[in-house]
């Protein structure tokens, strides 16, 4: 549409001095702001702030962050050309009275929520989040508390130690089958379990075959597969209660689909559960797929007597009502200890912590912004040091 003397569209791919930019905003009758995606479009707010006579119309993409505030603008879908053309026409013929009303409303909002208001709101929310985090956080197991723990341990006659394995007694490994106990750990568990006043229970999500192979020769109690299988020292394995496993044939294809979509992930099959591991997958992709899989399985498992558990780099589906907490509660009722130490590192161990009496020493391994445990330590090395102090 241009002529030799007139060009209808001027495109400036550069910045302007603030005064000149404000003058252009002030002269403009219509501002057309149509990003496909924009977190917070300040051009729209600058245009509104510059209209001292309150005459002018703002057309704003619904995909701009400012569209959630500036609702008196003409909101459009930037990919809909017909809608855009209609909005331009509406803006050019809009009565002055309506322009004044819309612009006054938007100016009041921009004036109220200026940079200082947004900064204060952000900092206040940040401070609130930190306060909530501190209120929910577990206490660091400091030397004074550790000494008190050892003192109560030595005074007790019946002691119960509930110890998770992966991430607690032993660090994680990309291949779960290569996380077998080293000689130091075996000697430590032997020394603790040889004391007749101690009942040492390995309470793990591991399958019973692996626990039997790695630690079965030691006088330990076992709770395997998050409470499915139980075994007292020198006795036979038995089920916590009768369970079913026929559901595996329907849900295993779902897990296989996510294995095919997520390089590095794999499936572990236990007697009464299926586990999807993603420790070897890309961190961001694995976390995203884990959320999808959890949602998918939760939907499929509704009203079926199954539950979905999220652990450390794993998603597990199993029979509901069977967890570490239920098995730990049965162990408490059996042995009636007068000293309890429970240590674990992930979501499944929260069930154990929740089943413990208030006076029990419950310890979360790793960062603990929110846990039912009373205390936390950094890693498996600190766990071993704590256990060694009991000898």
């Amino acid at each position: 549409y241009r002529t030799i003397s007139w060009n209808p569209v001027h495109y400036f791919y550069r910045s302007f001095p603030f005064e000149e930019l404000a003058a252009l905003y002030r002269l403009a009758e219509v501002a057309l702001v149509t990003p496909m995606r924009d977190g917070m479009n300040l051009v729209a707010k600058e245009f509104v702030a510059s209209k001292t006579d309150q005459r002018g119309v703002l057309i704003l993409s619904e995909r701009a962050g400012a569209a959630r505030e500036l609702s008196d603008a003409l909101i459009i879908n930037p990919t809909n050309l017909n809608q855009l053309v209609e909005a331009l026409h509406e803006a050019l013929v809009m009565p002055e009275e309506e322009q004044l009303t819309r612009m006054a409303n938007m100016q009041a909002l921009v004036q109220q929520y200026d940079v200082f208001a947004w900064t204060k709101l952000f900092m206040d929310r940040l401070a609130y989040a930190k306060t909530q985090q501190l209120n929910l956080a577990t206490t660091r197991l400091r030397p004074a508390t550790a000494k008190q723990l050892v003192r109560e341990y030595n005074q007790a006659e019946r002691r119960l130690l509930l110890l998770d394995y992966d991430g607690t007694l032993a660090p994680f490994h990309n291949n779960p089958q290569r996380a077998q106990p080293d000689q130091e750990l075996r000697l430590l568990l032997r020394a603790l379990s040889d004391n007749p006043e101690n009942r040492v229970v390995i309470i793990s999500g591991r399958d019973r075959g692996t626990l039997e192979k790695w630690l079965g020769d030691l006088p330990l109690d076992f709770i395997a597969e998050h409470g499915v299988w139980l075994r007292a020292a020198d006795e036979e394995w038995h089920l916590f209660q009768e369970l079913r496993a026929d559901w595996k044939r329907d849900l295993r294809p779902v897990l296989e689909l996510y294995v095919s979509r997520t390089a590095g992930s794999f499936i572990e099959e236990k007697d009464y559960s299926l586990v999807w591991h993603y420790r070897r997958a890309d961190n961001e992709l694995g976390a995203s797929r884990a959320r999808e899989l959890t949602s998918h399985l939760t939907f499929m498992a509704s009203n079926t007597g199954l539950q979905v558990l999220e652990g450390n780099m794993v998603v597990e589906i199993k029979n509901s009502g069977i967890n570490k907490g239920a098995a730990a509660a049965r162990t408490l009722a059996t042995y009636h200890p007068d000293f309890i130490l429970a240590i674990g590192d992930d979501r499944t161990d929260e069930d154990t912590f929740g089943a413990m009496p208030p006076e029990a020493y419950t310890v979360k391994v790793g960062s603990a912004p929110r846990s039912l445990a009373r205390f936390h330590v950094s890693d498996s090395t600190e766990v071993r040091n704590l256990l060694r102090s009991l000898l």
Side-chain angles (χ1 to χ4, degrees), residues 162-179:
L162 294 161
L163 308 175
D164 176 47
Y165 185 81
D166 291 285
T168 301
L169 293 176
F172 287 106
H173 197 285
N174 285 340
N175 184 344
Q177 295 307 313
R178 297 184 62 182

Side-chain angles (χ1 to χ4, degrees), residues 29 44 55 65 69 82 104 124 147 170 177 201 246 266 268 287 297 324 326 353 376:
E29 296 178 348
R55 289 172 175 79
E69 300 175 71
N82 290 333
D124 287 348
K147 289 181 181 178
Q177 295 307 313
V201 183
D246 55 333
F266 63 94
E268 177 189 3
L297 291 177
K324 289 182 178 181
F353 301 148
H376 78 271

